[in-house]
Amino acid sequence: MRTKVAIIGAGPAGLMLGQLLSLANISNVVIENRSRDYVEGRSRAGQITPATVQILTESGVGARIHSEGMVHSTLQFHYEGSTRELNFQALTGRTVTIYGQQEIIKDLIAARLKTEFPLLFDAADVQIHDTDGFSPYVSFSHGGEQQTLECDFIVGCDGFHGICRPHISDSLTQFSYNYPFTWLAVLAEMSPISPDVIFSSHETGLALFTMRSPNVSRIYLQCSPDEDPNEWSGSRIWDLLQLRLEGRPEKVNGGAIIEKSIVQLRSFVAEKMQKGRLFLAGDAAHIVPPSAAKGLNLAVSDANILARAFEQHYGKGKEDLLLSYSDIALKQIWRDVQFSHWMAMLLHRFDDNSHFHRRLQIAELDRVLGSGPAAQSFAELWVGNPPFAAS
Ligand code: RFL
């Protein structure tokens, strides 16, 4: 088998890149080691920036996000027993959309299956070879048969635990920070208690209340690093959420828990995101704590930059964008890593939290929510930049 671009991983980065390349008629194969059911059922991100909505729309997969997505204009910050609002639409003219990552995945897979280009699920023993030479290839087994995919380029969209980044780890500079707490992530059959996302910075830790649809709520509760989700019964979850929302009028009545898991919080960046004929995109190259909801949006942004670079390469024979892919992508990545880290430091309880540290958090919240320029800067970071466009 031969193609121009071999894409490893059918998450948001890999499927988005595949969609953009297919629209530009650049042949590509997406190789995924899990099943279609698994990737379509994996519930993660939900807060989608205007740039991501624009890229999805312009690539013909925006119909459902426009009809089913929930458009948000305001964030609520609850601390010291009262709530303050930040209307980012009033400050930037832009909104964010709540739409589940797994729905974006379903939309991208449905669009992919209408193209002539392969999307292979359940691939086993995926390995990449000769990425420093001119004839890279991917080996894997599929349907019980050993396969070789020859290509011009390989793009590692295989997430944080994939095989592509380790392949070039000797040439990478890696930056990482592990946060000293985790999030209990809960998906529940429960109507949202508020029309807006609520960040609560309580003295016992963060609670983040968000939603996935009019009937499904998403709740994140800060907890300790060694937490076992099985020890979190429904009543324990709802009691802690109620405590962290104390001072608000809502009574948390709970609902059937669809899913609960522990999320490790880390910041991680690998530089450069390319070597020879191998490129990295999305979580394969960087991770942000979900506090500012940027991970999926960054994965789509990487895919968009890389697609423009391949279009220039194949359409105009120009290499400059391909060569500068990593430098362009990293500007946006570091901006979002910094913002996500700042949000994490602002809203969580740290074990060594002194009264002094707490007062600093409150002063910072008051500053952001009280002053025009600070609120403006926050709002612009929250909604994010417009998509990259090749000049
Ligand atoms: P993914 O989604 O991990 O996809 C990688 C794919 O590669 C496959 N794979 C392989 N395939 C072939 N061969 C191999 N050897 C392979 N190894 C792995 C995997 O099976 C998988 O299908 O990476 P990608 O595409 O870079 O996308 C990244 C996003 O999924 C991630 O950043 C977001 O989910 C982060 N995130 C959020 N991002 C947002 O923009 N907004 C949010 O509101 C938001 N909320 C979140 C989040 C992440 C969370 N968790 C679980 C960490 C909330 C949470 C709780």
Side-chain angles (χ1 to χ4, degrees):
M1 214 184 341
R2 177 162 182 93
T3 193
K4 287 181 172 149
V5 183
I7 300 171
I8 315 297
L15 289 168
M16 191 73 245
L17 179 62
Q19 174 69 3
L20 292 166
L21 294 182
S22 302
L23 288 173
N25 210 20
I26 298 168
S27 68
N28 66 93
V29 175
V30 180
I31 302 168
E32 164 64 48
N33 66 355
R34 308 301 293 251
S35 68
R36 179 177 176 181
D37 280 354
Y38 181 86
V39 299
E40 287 189 338
R42 197 164 37 196
S43 165
R44 294 169 89 185
Q47 178 109 334
I48 313 301
T49 60
T52 300
V53 174
Q54 184 180 334
I55 294 167
L56 291 168
T57 307
E58 289 174 0
S59 51
V61 282
R64 277 208 312 136
I65 197 169
H66 285 288
S67 63
E68 295 175 28
M70 302 162 86
V71 175
H72 279 208
S73 61
T74 303
L75 284 176
Q76 299 191 23
F77 289 88
H78 185 69
Y79 59 104
E80 300 297 285
S82 61
T83 300
R84 298 177 74 171
E85 291 190 352
L86 190 142
N87 184 329
F88 49 83
Q89 185 183 20
L91 293 163
T92 64
R94 287 177 286 156
T95 52
V96 301
T97 305
I98 302 280
Y99 186 67
Q101 173 165 336
Q102 71 280 14
E103 303 306 321
I104 292 182
I105 294 290
K106 285 180 203 158
D107 295 343
L108 285 166
I109 290 176
R112 175 76 182 193
L113 297 178
K114 291 187 190 140
T115 73
E116 61 186 286
F117 301 116
L119 162 56
L120 307 175
F121 290 105
D122 298 305
D125 194 20
V126 180
Q127 290 179 42
I128 59 176
H129 309 267
D130 290 351
T131 56
D132 279 336
F134 286 100
S135 311
Y137 65 97
V138 185
S139 64
F140 56 99
S141 72
H142 189 247
E145 286 188 19
Q146 192 58 30
Q147 307 266 359
T148 300
L149 174 65
E150 295 171 359
C151 53
D152 299 339
F153 298 99
I154 298 174
V155 185
C157 299
D158 49 347
F160 186 68
H161 300 288
I163 49 129
C164 292
R165 190 182 66 252
H167 188 75
I168 52 167
S169 57
D170 287 352
S171 68
L172 296 173
T173 308
Q174 308 197 29
F175 303 86
S176 67
Y177 179 81
N178 291 320
Y179 296 84
F181 39 73
T182 55
W183 280 8
L184 176 69
V186 179
L187 200 62
E189 273 172 27
M190 166 180 166
S191 300
I193 57 171
S194 149
D196 303 319
V197 169
I198 308 167
F199 282 101
S200 172
S201 176
H202 189 261
E203 61 186 24
T204 63
L206 168 138
L208 169 53
F209 188 89
T210 177
M211 61 287 289
R212 289 293 177 264
S213 75
N215 307 315
V216 175
S217 294
R218 184 73 154 145
I219 295 114
Y220 299 109
L221 295 168
Q222 177 186 351
C223 52
S224 45
D226 48 358
E227 213 69 62
D228 174 0
N230 296 321
E231 287 175 10
W232 286 85
S233 63
S235 58
R236 189 175 169 205
I237 291 168
W238 304 127
D239 287 352
L240 186 56
L241 177 63
Q242 185 76 70
L243 173 72
R244 291 186 181 173
L245 295 176
E246 74 184 343
R248 287 184 62 96
E250 297 92 4
K251 183 92 199 85
V252 177
N253 291 320
I257 290 176
I258 304 167
E259 201 183 290
K260 59 186 173 186
S261 61
I262 294 292
V263 180
Q264 214 65 50
L265 269 70
R266 65 163 72 85
S267 291
F268 173 86
V269 181
E271 294 186 1
K272 287 191 157 205
M273 296 161 61
Q274 61 193 95
K275 182 163 187 279
R277 301 229 150 199
L278 174 65
F279 295 82
L280 302 176
D283 279 13
H286 45 77
I287 295 280
V288 285
S291 41
K294 295 294 187 187
L296 173 145
N297 295 296
L298 277 177
V300 169
S301 167
D302 290 352
N304 178 50
I305 300 166
L306 208 39
R308 305 302 157 218
F310 283 128
E311 278 172 29
Q312 280 209 350
H313 171 80
Y314 286 109
K316 299 181 184 164
K318 286 172 67 181
E319 299 295 301
D320 47 326
L321 258 188
L322 264 189
L323 294 173
S324 52
Y325 159 68
S326 179
D327 295 337
I328 296 169
L330 282 164
K331 286 225 172 354
Q332 179 66 46
I333 291 159
W334 276 112
R335 182 179 141 125
D336 285 349
V337 169
Q338 190 279 333
F339 181 54
S340 306
H341 179 76
W342 174 82
M343 288 279 283
M345 301 305 282
L346 180 66
L347 298 167
H348 290 93
R349 183 198 153 81
F350 287 76
D351 274 348
D352 57 354
N353 246 24
S354 58
H355 293 312
F356 174 72
H357 186 169
R358 182 68 186 148
R359 285 283 184 271
L360 293 182
Q361 288 181 323
I362 293 164
E364 183 75 340
L365 281 162
D366 285 347
R367 186 179 72 83
V368 170
L369 297 164
S371 105
Q376 180 75 37
S377 164
F378 177 92
E380 281 168 13
L381 287 161
W382 184 255
V383 299
N385 284 341
F388 170 81
S391 51

